[in-house]
Amino acid sequence: MTRRVFRYVPFSVEQDATAEPEYEARCVSGDETECGAESGTYDDPGPVEEWQRRHTQGTGHRRYRRNFGDYAVLRPLMEPALLARTYGGAP
């Protein structure tokens, strides 16, 4: 049995709809050292932005490192049978 590797097969990269994205922020204000206060992780940017506003009101800090994370899936732009006919191999 011959095994083939599909190398240049067109795929789309999409956000995985079965997993929630994650948003968070960390205060990086400070001259010598960063403040380091953190918002915590949320599945929506709203609570993170509100935390930033409250933190700025309480401390005067105005610089934040924001992080967004999600999961991605790659989907072939062609059906497996068409991929096999086009690029060789078994579907």
Side-chain angles (χ1 to χ4, degrees):
M1 176 176 185
T2 306
R3 183 172 174 189
R4 295 186 187 224
V5 177
F6 297 122
R7 294 185 191 259
Y8 302 105
V9 177
F11 283 87
S12 67
V13 180
E14 303 170 9
Q15 188 176 39
D16 186 348
T18 66
E20 293 289 326
E22 297 176 342
Y23 302 85
E24 61 187 3
R26 183 180 80 247
C27 179
V28 294
S29 295
D31 294 330
E32 298 295 320
T33 59
E34 295 178 353
C35 168
E38 297 181 346
S39 66
T41 304
Y42 296 89
D43 61 1
D44 182 78
V48 176
E49 293 168 1
E50 183 57 31
W51 175 84
Q52 288 176 273
R53 288 185 195 94
R54 286 193 322 272
H55 186 72
T56 296
Q57 288 172 345
T59 63
H61 296 166
R62 299 185 342 184
R63 189 162 187 261
Y64 297 88
R65 168 81 165 114
R66 298 184 305 173
N67 294 313
F68 167 78
D70 69 345
Y71 293 87
V73 292
L74 274 74
R75 299 199 194 287
L77 295 177
M78 294 183 219
E79 292 298 318
L82 182 56
L83 280 171
R85 287 194 304 273
T86 303
Y87 295 99

